[in-house]
Amino acid sequence: MKSLQSAPKERAFFDVYARLARSIKASGLFAQIVSGLTEVGGIYAAAYTALLPVFPTLALYFAAAVAVIGTAIIELGLRVLAPQTVDAILYRRYKGLHLAMTISIWLLTAVLFTASGLLSFRNSKTIVNEFTPEATEQTTAQADSIYQAEAARLASAWANDSARIVEQYAAQITAAQTAGAGKVNAAKRELSNWYNRERRTGDSYGTQKDRARQLIADREAEAAAALAALKAQEAEALSTARNDYKAELGTAQADRRTAAGEVKAANEAAAGERAATVAAYGGGLGWFTVICLLVFAASVVLDRIHRKGSGITETVELSQYDVNPPALVEAWEALRERVQYALRSKITAFAEKTPAAPLPARPAELYDPTQLANIVINLQVEGEDDDNTIYIQPKRRQIGFKTAGTDPEAANTSRALYNARTPHTKHEPEAPEQHTKSSYETPDLRHLKQRLKEYKKRLGKHQQKALRYEKEGKPVPKRTAAALDNNAQWVEHYANLINQAEATKRKA
């Protein structure tokens, strides 16, 4: 379907605004491209966010497809509907079905304009945010590295100092324990000497032994006091070293927190600057898209006014392809017909290979006793006063229809009483027989000839198959041979029936 434009009828009006119309039309196309780009970005971002949890691997492609299709619906719809809305006003299409179309077109155009404006304006910040470089963020890696190195150094110093203190006091404790043990042993030796003297001399040295025992206790107390003092000194030295380690580690941690705070403040300042940039440029782009949408509307209005003022009309040229059903529909119908043809051909071939039914058996005679009736004849003898009734039983006959030509006695049977015939008289000669098809060929005879023709056709087809097998040097299949015999029997059977019917007709 082609859309053709006529030549301008008002050439003066056309010439005045021709260049303006061309320029404004190009600007409208550019404005629509800008609006479409902003719509694509916004629809893609929204669709990607919605589809990512459902299709993690395919969300990118689905979102792109949704963005392209949605933008095409909006922009192409405006491209078609916007000129129609202007034409509805210029040509005053407010009557009849034109009014219904005008209302529908205006509503759709308003919806598409609103959707385009909102999407373009709101998605401008999203697009600017995507294209604006991220703020350079400083990291605390250097501060962390310094802190970790200082913490490791302090831990190593603390380990060395504590080990040195423990080792130093361990030697002093060992020396003190040795000295104390020597003094205690000397006091014990003195007590033992007093016991030995008592055994040698037989005298009692109780006072000396008590002093010796007191001396042992004093020596043990002195050794314990010395050992306790050394351990106290060791603990104090370790505590002092630990406090120094904690103080230095706290200082390192404070330095790290100070450095991290400075980095965080710098990052926040950079993020704030980027947000301000996105807000400024995003708002500017949003208002620019609104202006582009207004430019597009103005271009459509001016273009349609220029066309009407110039007397340019549009006509539609149809082709046969516009009238015919869609190509997909025709393809489906062709495929369906091909499938139907193939299936029915298979069914026909299968039916032709199926042997015909066997010859019918001789039907048994069937009698209906209820159709037999006794015919009562009342005879009255003349000259008698009394009525004498004589009953005569008729001769029984086989039930069935017999013509007069086949049964000479038919005229003398009781059927003659119910089938009255008008005999021919001398003054009313019988009308001459009309030699028509119905006079020499009955419906039964035509049916028999038709059946004979069908079976001859089948017999000939199977004979051709048998000849083909013989020419190829192959044996005739049993199925084909059986079909030949069966169809030959049917041909003979119907030929005999036709001969009998024709003979009966000739006798009649």
Side-chain angles (χ1 to χ4, degrees):
M1 183 170 58
K2 299 179 182 179
S3 179
L4 304 178
Q5 296 181 3
S6 65
K9 298 178 181 179
E10 300 292 336
R11 188 58 184 267
F13 186 87
F14 177 81
D15 292 341
V16 171
Y17 301 104
R19 294 176 62 85
L20 175 63
R22 177 178 295 180
S23 301
I24 198 68
K25 188 174 182 180
S27 63
L29 180 60
F30 172 76
Q32 202 169 16
I33 292 174
V34 173
S35 178
L37 291 176
T38 55
E39 291 168 10
V40 166
I43 296 174
Y44 171 80
Y48 183 79
T49 304
L51 295 174
L52 184 60
V54 183
F55 304 103
T57 58
L58 301 176
L60 175 65
Y61 306 103
F62 285 167
V66 170
V68 172
I69 293 173
T71 304
I73 291 174
I74 295 174
E75 297 303 328
L76 294 180
L78 286 176
R79 199 71 186 173
V80 175
L81 292 174
Q84 293 293 331
T85 57
V86 180
D87 288 345
I89 298 175
L90 295 177
Y91 294 97
R92 300 182 180 277
R93 297 170 181 171
Y94 305 138
K95 296 181 181 180
L97 295 178
H98 284 294
L99 179 59
M101 291 294 293
T102 299
I103 295 174
S104 302
I105 291 170
W106 267 93
L107 290 176
L108 291 175
T109 305
V111 170
L112 292 180
F113 259 106
T114 304
S116 178
L118 290 177
L119 287 174
S120 298
F121 187 80
R122 292 184 177 180
N123 295 327
S124 297
K125 290 185 179 180
T126 303
I127 296 173
V128 172
N129 185 43
E130 290 293 331
F131 286 96
T132 301
E134 294 292 336
T136 304
E137 294 186 356
Q138 300 179 8
T139 62
T140 59
Q142 183 177 3
D144 292 340
S145 177
I146 294 173
Y147 168 73
Q148 291 175 0
E150 184 66 16
R153 185 188 67 77
L154 293 176
S156 177
W158 155 247
N160 295 332
D161 292 343
S162 60
R164 180 178 56 78
I165 292 171
V166 170
E167 183 180 358
Q168 177 183 354
Y169 280 94
Q172 294 179 10
I173 291 172
T174 302
Q177 288 177 346
T178 303
K183 292 179 179 180
V184 171
N185 291 332
K188 288 181 179 180
R189 182 62 182 170
E190 184 178 355
L191 178 60
S192 177
N193 291 336
W194 287 113
Y195 278 107
N196 292 332
R197 183 177 293 182
E198 278 184 346
R199 284 193 299 270
R200 287 194 305 268
T201 61
D203 296 333
S204 176
Y205 299 99
T207 302
Q208 288 80 2
K209 288 190 293 184
D210 293 336
R211 286 197 299 265
R213 292 189 185 97
Q214 183 62 41
L215 183 60
I216 292 172
D218 293 340
R219 295 291 186 269
E220 289 178 351
E222 292 175 359
L227 183 61
L230 290 174
K231 288 186 176 181
Q233 293 175 5
E234 180 185 11
E236 185 179 359
L238 290 173
S239 177
T240 302
R242 185 181 296 107
N243 291 334
D244 295 340
Y245 165 70
K246 289 183 177 180
E248 293 178 356
L249 184 62
T251 302
Q253 291 176 347
D255 295 340
R256 177 181 176 275
R257 284 193 294 270
T258 302
E262 294 175 355
V263 170
K264 182 178 180 181
N267 292 337
E268 290 178 353
E273 292 177 0
R274 183 181 183 277
T277 302
V278 170
Y281 285 97
L285 180 60
W287 287 111
F288 178 70
T289 55
V290 172
I291 294 173
C292 289
L293 196 61
L294 295 177
V295 170
F296 167 71
S299 68
V300 172
V301 172
L302 294 178
D303 179 67
R304 304 314 291 185
I305 293 175
H306 180 253
R307 286 172 180 267
K308 186 177 186 304
S310 302
I312 298 174
T313 59
E314 294 183 1
T315 57
V316 177
E317 180 182 348
L318 293 176
S319 65
Q320 188 62 36
Y321 294 112
D322 298 320
V323 180
N324 289 341
L328 292 178
V329 175
E330 293 189 350
W332 170 254
E333 291 298 329
L335 178 62
R336 189 180 68 84
E337 291 179 1
R338 176 60 62 88
V339 173
Q340 290 287 333
Y341 172 77
L343 291 177
R344 295 179 186 277
S345 299
K346 296 292 183 182
I347 294 172
T348 303
F350 181 78
E352 290 179 352
K353 293 180 180 178
T354 303
L359 293 175
R362 181 180 180 82
E365 295 182 355
L366 180 64
Y367 299 92
D368 187 1
T370 61
Q371 299 298 324
L372 296 177
N374 292 328
I375 300 175
V376 179
I377 301 176
N378 295 328
L379 300 179
Q380 185 176 2
V381 181
E382 294 181 358
E384 297 289 339
D385 295 333
D386 298 330
D387 292 335
N388 297 324
T389 301
I390 301 174
Y391 295 95
I392 300 175
Q393 298 291 338
K395 180 180 179 181
R396 293 185 179 274
R397 62 181 179 83
Q398 181 178 352
I399 296 175
F401 179 79
K402 294 183 179 180
T403 60
T406 58
D407 189 2
E409 298 179 357
N412 299 326
T413 61
S414 61
R415 185 172 68 251
L417 297 175
Y418 304 99
N419 297 329
R421 294 178 177 83
T422 303
H424 298 286
T425 62
K426 296 181 181 180
H427 301 284
E428 296 178 358
E430 185 178 359
E433 182 180 359
Q434 300 295 328
H435 295 286
T436 61
K437 184 176 182 180
S438 59
S439 64
Y440 63 83
E441 185 175 298
T442 62
D444 292 338
L445 185 58
R446 287 198 299 273
H447 175 70
L448 294 175
K449 289 183 177 181
Q450 182 67 25
R451 296 296 291 173
L452 178 61
K453 182 178 178 181
E454 292 177 0
Y455 281 105
K456 282 184 177 180
K457 183 178 180 180
R458 293 185 181 181
L459 180 62
K461 183 184 294 186
H462 291 295
Q463 287 175 348
Q464 292 295 328
K465 290 183 180 180
L467 290 175
R468 186 168 64 253
Y469 282 114
E470 291 177 357
K471 289 180 180 180
E472 294 176 356
K474 298 180 181 179
V476 179
K478 294 182 179 180
R479 188 183 184 88
T480 304
L484 285 170
D485 295 340
N486 189 19
N487 285 282
Q489 292 178 9
W490 277 106
V491 169
E492 183 180 359
H493 171 71
Y494 281 107
N496 293 334
L497 291 178
I498 292 172
N499 293 333
Q500 292 176 7
E502 290 179 348
T504 302
K505 184 67 176 178
R506 286 193 297 270
K507 290 180 181 179

mmCIF file of all heavy atoms in Angstrom, residues 34-51:
data_model
loop_
_atom_site.group_PDB
_atom_site.id
_atom_site.type_symbol
_atom_site.label_atom_id
_atom_site.label_comp_id
_atom_site.label_asym_id
_atom_site.label_seq_id
_atom_site.Cartn_x
_atom_site.Cartn_y
_atom_site.Cartn_z
ATOM 1 N N VAL A 34 16.011 12.426 19.544
ATOM 2 C CA VAL A 34 16.494 12.721 20.892
ATOM 3 C C VAL A 34 15.540 12.156 21.940
ATOM 4 O O VAL A 34 15.946 11.523 22.921
ATOM 5 C CB VAL A 34 16.676 14.244 21.060
ATOM 6 C CG1 VAL A 34 17.012 14.578 22.505
ATOM 7 C CG2 VAL A 34 17.761 14.754 20.134
ATOM 8 N N SER A 35 14.255 12.363 21.732
ATOM 9 C CA SER A 35 13.269 11.845 22.674
ATOM 10 C C SER A 35 13.311 10.322 22.732
ATOM 11 O O SER A 35 13.221 9.722 23.804
ATOM 12 C CB SER A 35 11.871 12.321 22.267
ATOM 13 O OG SER A 35 10.888 11.788 23.131
ATOM 14 N N GLY A 36 13.467 9.690 21.579
ATOM 15 C CA GLY A 36 13.530 8.224 21.552
ATOM 16 C C GLY A 36 14.749 7.681 22.279
ATOM 17 O O GLY A 36 14.668 6.668 22.972
ATOM 18 N N LEU A 37 15.900 8.358 22.144
ATOM 19 C CA LEU A 37 17.106 7.897 22.827
ATOM 20 C C LEU A 37 16.941 7.964 24.339
ATOM 21 O O LEU A 37 17.360 7.057 25.073
ATOM 22 C CB LEU A 37 18.308 8.721 22.378
ATOM 23 C CG LEU A 37 18.765 8.515 20.933
ATOM 24 C CD1 LEU A 37 19.900 9.463 20.600
ATOM 25 C CD2 LEU A 37 19.205 7.072 20.702
ATOM 26 N N THR A 38 16.348 9.043 24.828
ATOM 27 C CA THR A 38 16.134 9.137 26.277
ATOM 28 C C THR A 38 15.130 8.096 26.756
ATOM 29 O O THR A 38 15.269 7.545 27.851
ATOM 30 C CB THR A 38 15.641 10.544 26.635
ATOM 31 O OG1 THR A 38 14.462 10.851 25.867
ATOM 32 C CG2 THR A 38 16.711 11.577 26.345
ATOM 33 N N GLU A 39 14.136 7.787 25.937
ATOM 34 C CA GLU A 39 13.154 6.761 26.321
ATOM 35 C C GLU A 39 13.792 5.383 26.344
ATOM 36 O O GLU A 39 13.522 4.575 27.242
ATOM 37 C CB GLU A 39 11.980 6.784 25.345
ATOM 38 C CG GLU A 39 11.119 8.027 25.456
ATOM 39 C CD GLU A 39 10.155 8.134 24.292
ATOM 40 O OE1 GLU A 39 10.049 7.157 23.534
ATOM 41 O OE2 GLU A 39 9.520 9.194 24.147
ATOM 42 N N VAL A 40 14.648 5.086 25.371
ATOM 43 C CA VAL A 40 15.310 3.779 25.340
ATOM 44 C C VAL A 40 16.121 3.554 26.609
ATOM 45 O O VAL A 40 16.062 2.491 27.235
ATOM 46 C CB VAL A 40 16.203 3.660 24.087
ATOM 47 C CG1 VAL A 40 17.155 2.484 24.214
ATOM 48 C CG2 VAL A 40 15.352 3.466 22.854
ATOM 49 N N GLY A 41 16.898 4.564 27.005
ATOM 50 C CA GLY A 41 17.718 4.405 28.203
ATOM 51 C C GLY A 41 16.892 4.167 29.444
ATOM 52 O O GLY A 41 17.198 3.284 30.261
ATOM 53 N N GLY A 42 15.813 4.911 29.617
ATOM 54 C CA GLY A 42 14.992 4.751 30.818
ATOM 55 C C GLY A 42 14.265 3.425 30.840
ATOM 56 O O GLY A 42 14.214 2.742 31.880
ATOM 57 N N ILE A 43 13.663 3.043 29.722
ATOM 58 C CA ILE A 43 12.943 1.765 29.680
ATOM 59 C C ILE A 43 13.904 0.609 29.895
ATOM 60 O O ILE A 43 13.587 -0.368 30.581
ATOM 61 C CB ILE A 43 12.188 1.630 28.344
ATOM 62 C CG1 ILE A 43 11.120 2.712 28.231
ATOM 63 C CG2 ILE A 43 11.557 0.254 28.224
ATOM 64 C CD1 ILE A 43 10.417 2.745 26.894
ATOM 65 N N TYR A 44 15.105 0.708 29.320
ATOM 66 C CA TYR A 44 16.085 -0.363 29.507
ATOM 67 C C TYR A 44 16.483 -0.498 30.969
ATOM 68 O O TYR A 44 16.551 -1.617 31.508
ATOM 69 C CB TYR A 44 17.322 -0.087 28.655
ATOM 70 C CG TYR A 44 18.465 -1.033 28.945
ATOM 71 C CD1 TYR A 44 18.485 -2.311 28.399
ATOM 72 C CD2 TYR A 44 19.518 -0.660 29.786
ATOM 73 C CE1 TYR A 44 19.523 -3.191 28.671
ATOM 74 C CE2 TYR A 44 20.545 -1.533 30.063
ATOM 75 C CZ TYR A 44 20.542 -2.797 29.504
ATOM 76 O OH TYR A 44 21.562 -3.650 29.788
ATOM 77 N N ALA A 45 16.737 0.615 31.638
ATOM 78 C CA ALA A 45 17.144 0.553 33.045
ATOM 79 C C ALA A 45 16.046 -0.059 33.908
ATOM 80 O O ALA A 45 16.306 -0.928 34.752
ATOM 81 C CB ALA A 45 17.498 1.953 33.549
ATOM 82 N N ALA A 46 14.791 0.362 33.681
ATOM 83 C CA ALA A 46 13.685 -0.187 34.473
ATOM 84 C C ALA A 46 13.467 -1.667 34.183
ATOM 85 O O ALA A 46 13.270 -2.479 35.103
ATOM 86 C CB ALA A 46 12.409 0.604 34.187
ATOM 87 N N ALA A 47 13.513 -2.052 32.900
ATOM 88 C CA ALA A 47 13.298 -3.454 32.549
ATOM 89 C C ALA A 47 14.430 -4.333 33.065
ATOM 90 O O ALA A 47 14.196 -5.452 33.543
ATOM 91 C CB ALA A 47 13.166 -3.596 31.028
ATOM 92 N N TYR A 48 15.657 -3.843 32.991
ATOM 93 C CA TYR A 48 16.793 -4.641 33.469
ATOM 94 C C TYR A 48 16.701 -4.871 34.978
ATOM 95 O O TYR A 48 16.962 -5.971 35.471
ATOM 96 C CB TYR A 48 18.094 -3.930 33.117
ATOM 97 C CG TYR A 48 19.337 -4.710 33.512
ATOM 98 C CD1 TYR A 48 19.791 -5.768 32.731
ATOM 99 C CD2 TYR A 48 20.051 -4.387 34.662
ATOM 100 C CE1 TYR A 48 20.919 -6.491 33.082
ATOM 101 C CE2 TYR A 48 21.180 -5.105 35.022
ATOM 102 C CZ TYR A 48 21.603 -6.151 34.234
ATOM 103 O OH TYR A 48 22.718 -6.863 34.598
ATOM 104 N N THR A 49 16.318 -3.832 35.720
ATOM 105 C CA THR A 49 16.174 -3.979 37.172
ATOM 106 C C THR A 49 15.077 -4.976 37.519
ATOM 107 O O THR A 49 15.206 -5.758 38.466
ATOM 108 C CB THR A 49 15.864 -2.612 37.802
ATOM 109 O OG1 THR A 49 16.888 -1.685 37.447
ATOM 110 C CG2 THR A 49 15.779 -2.728 39.313
ATOM 111 N N ALA A 50 13.984 -4.987 36.742
ATOM 112 C CA ALA A 50 12.870 -5.893 37.035
ATOM 113 C C ALA A 50 13.169 -7.330 36.621
ATOM 114 O O ALA A 50 12.718 -8.279 37.273
ATOM 115 C CB ALA A 50 11.599 -5.400 36.333
ATOM 116 N N LEU A 51 13.907 -7.513 35.521
ATOM 117 C CA LEU A 51 14.146 -8.858 34.989
ATOM 118 C C LEU A 51 15.377 -9.532 35.573
ATOM 119 O O LEU A 51 15.522 -10.755 35.438
ATOM 120 C CB LEU A 51 14.285 -8.802 33.466
ATOM 121 C CG LEU A 51 13.041 -8.371 32.692
ATOM 122 C CD1 LEU A 51 13.375 -8.210 31.211
ATOM 123 C CD2 LEU A 51 11.930 -9.393 32.866
#
